[in-house]
Amino acid sequence: MNESKPGDSQNLACVFCRKNDDCPNKYGEKKTKEKWNLTVHYYCLLMSSGIWQRGKEEEGVYGFLIEDIRKEVNRASKLKCCVCKKNGASIGCVAPRCKRSYHFPCGLQRECIFQFTGNFASFCWDHRPVQIITSNNYRESLPCTICLEFIEPIPSYNILRSPCCKNAWFHRDCLQVQAINAGVFFFRCTICNNSDIFQKEMLRMGIHIPEKDASWELEENAYQELLQHYERCDVRRCRCKEGRDYNAPDSKWEIKRCHCCGSSGTHLACSSLRSWEQNWECLECRGIIYNSGEFQKAKKHVLPNSNNVGITDCLLEESSPKLPRQSPGSQSKDLLRQGSKFRRNVSTLLIELGFQIKKKTKRLYINKANIWNSALDAFRNRNFNPSYAIEVAYVIENDNFGSEHPGSKQEFLSLLMQHLENSSLFEGSLSKNLSLNSQALKENLYYEAGKMLAISLVHGGPSPGFFSKTLFNCLVYGPENTQPILDDVSDFDVAQIIIRINTATTVADLKSIINECYNYLELIGCLRLITTLSDKYMLVKDILGYHVIQRVHTPFESFKQGLKTLGVLEKIQAYPEAFCSILCHKPESLSAKILSELFTVHTLPDVKALGFWNSYLQAVEDGKSTTTMEDILIFATGCSSIPPAGFKPTPSIECLHVDFPVGNKCNNCLAIPITNTYKEFQENMDFTIRNTLRLEKEESSHYIGH
């Protein structure tokens, strides 16, 4: 396979974006394959929507096969870029119902976000993720911690903030250059050296972090001492009996670093910090802030008998908050109760709720082509009782013979949750909030949606995983104790108003924006007197509170009542940590090990076939098959993930003398064929699973479109 020399490809255009620019920092490495007369930018290839890496790293271009690249170029040739209006737009926004397509350079020009992780999602300028921050208490501007040029600490496409150090701000371009130079092993927060939280946020905001060693890592463990977390308590009177160097995470003896310099620390208890999230400044940094005249803006803490206490003591050792006196017995009971809540597993909690289900069964007649209306009719039936065991029978619409066949309860619940997630009752791209749908309110659909979610969780349905943290916090702590963020606003016009207000740099600009939006602000009751620039933060808070919470108060209360079915809401409120994992987060990706352990062998096994099965799972995980782990699970059980309450019955495997595999979704049973060779086994598995799921998808296309 011949590649061009570095200078040969400079005038050759990328087959995707049609540009001949050779700029690795912006477009990734430019590669030319002379044998196939093909030139491509790495990022253009990586972010294209209709292609995936099917070959090994050394095959084709970075593992993307040549025939796949040509198919993708052909597909993109029919799509017009919404920026430059030329054909060849191979990248599409992943937000539901967004039809925008664009070239990679055009997307950069319009400030789209490209996530170089997971499914390599792309977001257009209307739907891109954003960072939300509160006002800074100390200064008007802060230096970029990489180039040291002063910038306004306001979230935007070009300005990003560290998620772990609140005073660490960066230019996007500075971060991208540092990420390319440092690589995944050395790209860290410049203040606290955190890598996990920092990299996760930077990937979310579209920073590409290549999987390579740092460019400066010329010898083993070079500069290793610079990558250590500072872990020592530096306050004058350390109260820890284990010493200043003792650090116990998730306790009052955890070390908290100075959020300004990161090179001094304190135990939480030694400075009376109530939680790890609370900021703490060391003596030197606090002294600088104090002497700069800005100290009075920070919240002051009153100390008892403070007349004889020096400034050093005030700044480093604040008094503990006053709490009601309790007996030692009651304190230990409270701690035990809190610890018990924290340790409760969500599966155990759902199994406990499942004890309400009676042996009496209720058969639901479901039309797979119209899951939503079928479920509504079934759950609204006066004879339906959510505590009865559910039995599903699939029927065909307009079937004169009235035929029916047994259906999988978990498949039905899985399809129902998919429809609910994409319904007009919710709004948002990835994390969703309740929408305001007047017709749905009239039909009481928000109540039904909450009821469906509750029934699904207790009866063994999948993890919803699409709640926003704001919606979840409203359910658990109440709307009055929840502060929405800009990500919660799906209305583009409202989001633009908020961004304009939040980025106003003078009082005059702020008043001008308010005058332009006067009618809207008056309509929602958010007009306020503006005297200082900092008033914009309260105005933004008011708008967010109205649009995300107050506006949908009636749908929320209805949805909340539905969630009370079978006591689910009460359980969520009692154990929020456990339920957040399934309501706000998608389940973990399946692996060969997980599926191998999930399926048990109930019949006399064929050793050879079981060996082929385990090899097949590994091949699927390694990307050497056209199917996925989720496809296999759907084929056998009807679910693409393992339900939080587990499968009933437990998924099992049978080895049969059949030509092709058979999935029994009612019993969660997978019959695998006994073949002479592994090649025959894999071909039969791939063919059957792929075509079965394709046919099922085509049959339900009416439902999906609806």
Side-chain angles (χ1 to χ4, degrees):
M1 186 178 297
N2 298 320
E3 293 187 17
S4 65
K5 295 177 182 178
D8 294 342
S9 65
Q10 289 182 359
N11 297 320
L12 297 176
C14 169
V15 293
F16 287 107
C17 69
R18 315 287 174 84
K19 288 182 177 289
N20 57 11
D21 303 46
D22 191 359
C23 184
N25 284 354
K26 289 180 68 176
Y27 308 135
E29 186 179 0
K30 184 180 179 183
K31 278 225 173 175
T32 296
K33 299 293 184 181
E34 290 182 341
K35 182 177 179 180
W36 291 284
N37 190 26
L38 185 73
T39 299
V40 63
H41 290 125
Y42 180 44
Y43 293 171
C44 293
L45 178 61
L46 202 60
M47 301 307 303
S48 290
S49 303
I51 191 172
W52 61 94
Q53 189 181 35
R54 295 198 302 130
K56 296 180 181 178
E57 195 67 29
E58 64 274 10
E59 292 184 275
V61 183
Y62 302 105
F64 293 88
L65 303 182
I66 299 299
E67 58 267 30
D68 291 344
I69 296 176
R70 296 207 183 281
K71 287 179 182 177
E72 177 63 1
V73 171
N74 183 55
R75 182 191 73 85
S77 66
K78 304 167 187 174
L79 300 173
K80 182 176 289 187
C81 175
C82 61
V83 179
C84 70
K85 309 304 178 185
K86 296 179 181 179
N87 290 340
S90 62
I91 305 172
C93 177
V94 300
R97 301 175 185 170
C98 183
K99 304 299 182 183
R100 287 194 177 104
S101 295
Y102 32 82
H103 303 101
F104 185 83
C106 295
L108 288 182
Q109 177 188 333
R110 284 302 304 269
E111 300 184 346
C112 297
I113 292 281
F114 301 95
Q115 294 181 341
F116 294 87
T117 184
N119 293 324
F120 295 91
S122 166
F123 298 86
C124 71
W125 50 93
D126 283 348
H127 301 113
R128 68 189 183 205
V130 295
Q131 290 185 310
I132 297 297
I133 61 108
T134 55
S135 60
N136 187 282
N137 290 327
Y138 299 135
R139 50 179 70 88
E140 289 297 324
S141 59
L142 291 170
C144 167
T145 60
I146 297 176
C147 71
L148 301 182
E149 178 185 331
F150 275 83
I151 55 180
E152 286 295 313
I154 298 171
S156 66
Y157 175 80
N158 292 310
I159 304 297
L160 299 176
R161 190 190 74 164
S162 169
C164 39
C165 294
K166 294 187 176 180
N167 274 4
W169 290 81
F170 315 91
H171 292 106
R172 173 180 289 272
D173 292 341
C174 293
L175 271 175
Q176 186 58 78
V177 171
Q178 180 165 325
I180 290 174
N181 289 331
V184 69
F185 302 110
F186 289 91
F187 184 53
R188 302 162 185 257
C189 175
T190 54
I191 298 295
C192 69
N193 280 326
N194 179 284
S195 61
D196 293 339
I197 298 174
F198 185 74
Q199 287 191 15
K200 184 177 180 181
E201 175 67 1
M202 293 305 113
L203 286 169
R204 184 180 79 89
M205 296 307 298
I207 300 298
H208 179 222
I209 310 172
E211 294 185 8
K212 66 168 189 175
D213 285 329
S215 57
W216 61 81
E217 186 70 359
L218 302 178
E219 59 182 83
E220 188 175 1
N221 296 324
Y223 315 112
Q224 191 67 26
E225 69 279 359
L226 298 179
L227 302 175
Q228 301 300 318
H229 290 285
Y230 188 88
E231 293 185 351
R232 178 179 171 81
C233 179
D234 295 312
V235 300
R236 192 172 67 176
R237 290 193 293 272
C238 177
R239 302 170 185 171
C240 181
K241 295 181 180 179
E242 302 293 331
R244 292 183 177 273
D245 295 323
Y246 181 71
N247 182 28
D250 300 322
S251 75
K252 65 180 181 179
W253 302 119
E254 180 175 2
I255 296 288
K256 172 75 176 178
R257 291 177 295 278
C258 172
H259 81 103
C260 292
C261 69
S263 57
S264 294
T266 177
H267 291 114
L268 298 184
C270 295
S271 292
S272 300
L273 299 177
R274 301 186 185 185
S275 69
W276 192 88
E277 288 78 12
Q278 190 174 347
N279 280 339
W280 176 81
E281 302 90 17
C282 66
L283 174 61
E284 289 78 9
C285 293
R286 198 69 180 268
I288 292 170
I289 297 167
Y290 179 81
N291 292 329
S292 69
E294 299 283 343
F295 177 72
Q296 61 270 19
K297 296 182 182 178
K299 183 178 179 180
K300 297 182 180 180
H301 300 266
V302 180
L303 298 176
N305 301 322
S306 59
N307 293 337
N308 299 322
V309 181
I311 184 66
T312 302
D313 295 332
C314 290
L315 298 179
L316 292 181
E317 297 177 7
E318 299 169 348
S319 62
S320 300
K322 293 183 179 180
L323 298 173
R325 299 179 69 91
Q326 293 179 314
S327 66
S330 64
Q331 288 180 348
S332 62
K333 286 179 182 178
D334 286 343
L335 289 173
L336 284 173
R337 194 179 297 116
Q338 291 172 6
S340 173
K341 282 187 179 184
F342 185 78
R343 290 192 296 269
R344 296 300 298 277
N345 185 283
V346 70
S347 299
T348 306
L349 296 170
L350 291 175
I351 290 171
E352 287 178 3
L353 289 173
F355 292 153
Q356 304 171 74
I357 300 175
K358 301 176 174 62
K359 292 184 178 180
K360 184 174 181 179
T361 62
K362 173 63 178 176
R363 174 169 288 194
L364 307 182
Y365 295 95
I366 302 298
N367 178 7
K368 285 182 75 172
N370 197 345
I371 288 285
W372 176 252
N373 288 328
S374 298
L376 272 179
D377 292 341
F379 291 158
R380 283 174 167 175
N381 189 299
R382 59 189 180 89
N383 294 323
F384 176 76
N385 188 327
S387 62
Y388 288 171
I390 292 176
E391 189 178 278
V392 174
Y394 287 137
V395 296
I396 301 175
E397 192 174 13
N398 300 325
D399 183 0
N400 296 327
F401 298 99
S403 59
E404 60 183 68
H405 59 275
S408 162
K409 175 187 69 175
Q410 285 168 317
E411 178 188 37
F412 158 63
L413 293 174
S414 181
L415 292 173
L416 182 59
M417 289 303 103
Q418 288 176 31
H419 177 90
L420 194 60
E421 179 178 358
N422 297 308
S423 72
S424 60
L425 301 178
F426 295 89
E427 60 184 20
S429 52
L430 301 178
S431 298
K432 297 179 179 289
N433 291 291
L434 291 173
S435 66
L436 181 59
N437 186 320
S438 57
Q439 186 60 34
L441 270 176
K442 291 178 183 178
E443 298 177 13
N444 203 26
L445 295 185
Y446 290 100
Y447 170 82
E448 297 296 342
K451 180 180 175 182
M452 288 176 183
L453 272 165
I455 291 173
S456 177
L457 288 173
V458 178
H459 284 264
S463 304
F466 61 84
F467 281 30
S468 72
K469 285 292 181 63
T470 297
L471 176 56
F472 181 79
N473 288 339
C474 285
L475 290 169
V476 175
Y477 308 110
E480 67 279 3
N481 298 315
T482 302
Q483 178 56 46
I485 60 175
L486 184 58
D487 278 347
D488 295 317
V489 179
S490 60
D491 187 302
F492 174 74
D493 293 330
V494 175
Q496 287 301 304
I497 291 174
I498 294 173
I499 292 172
R500 289 183 63 197
I501 292 173
N502 213 19
T503 54
T505 55
T506 65
V507 174
D509 287 343
L510 182 58
K511 289 182 177 180
S512 175
I513 296 167
I514 291 173
N515 286 335
E516 289 180 31
C517 308
Y518 185 90
N519 292 336
Y520 169 73
L521 295 176
E522 183 181 40
L523 179 66
I524 66 175
C526 290
L527 278 177
R528 61 168 48 243
L529 180 65
I530 300 298
T531 56
T532 65
L533 187 60
S534 60
D535 289 339
K536 67 181 181 179
Y537 299 111
M538 287 305 299
L539 180 57
V540 166
K541 183 178 179 181
D542 290 345
I543 298 172
L544 285 171
Y546 168 80
H547 188 82
V548 181
I549 294 180
Q550 297 172 30
R551 183 176 63 98
V552 294
H553 172 75
T554 304
F556 174 77
E557 290 300 323
S558 183
F559 180 70
K560 188 176 172 183
Q561 289 302 315
L563 265 181
K564 290 183 178 179
T565 304
L566 295 173
V568 170
L569 179 61
E570 290 78 4
K571 211 74 164 177
I572 293 173
Q573 292 172 337
Y575 302 97
E577 298 90 348
F579 278 92
C580 183
S581 65
I582 64 169
L583 294 178
C584 299
H585 303 283
K586 293 294 183 182
E588 64 174 326
S589 300
L590 298 173
S591 65
K593 183 175 185 295
I594 290 173
L595 279 194
S596 179
E597 294 174 351
L598 179 66
F599 285 88
T600 59
V601 182
H602 285 167
T603 58
L604 186 64
D606 181 281
V607 176
K608 191 175 182 181
L610 284 180
F612 288 166
W613 162 250
N614 289 323
S615 298
Y616 180 67
L617 289 179
Q618 193 59 54
V620 173
E621 182 175 306
D622 294 340
K624 299 176 181 177
S625 168
T626 55
T627 61
T628 64
M629 294 292 177
E630 289 72 21
D631 291 340
I632 297 172
L633 194 61
I634 294 172
F635 180 77
T637 68
C639 294
S640 61
S641 62
I642 302 173
F647 282 107
K648 291 181 184 179
T650 302
S652 61
I653 286 180
E654 292 179 314
C655 303
L656 300 179
H657 290 281
V658 292
D659 292 332
F660 300 98
V662 179
N664 186 337
K665 297 176 182 177
C666 294
N667 296 323
N668 297 327
C669 181
L670 175 63
I672 58 176
I674 297 175
T675 60
N676 294 322
T677 65
Y678 171 72
K679 182 179 179 182
E680 184 182 359
F681 180 89
Q682 179 174 353
E683 288 176 350
N684 291 350
M685 292 289 288
D686 282 349
F687 175 82
T688 306
I689 294 174
R690 183 175 66 249
N691 285 285
T692 300
L693 297 185
R694 179 179 59 81
L695 288 172
E696 289 179 351
K697 187 175 182 180
E698 289 175 356
E699 289 174 1
S700 61
S701 61
H702 169 71
Y703 145 68
I704 295 174
H706 180 74

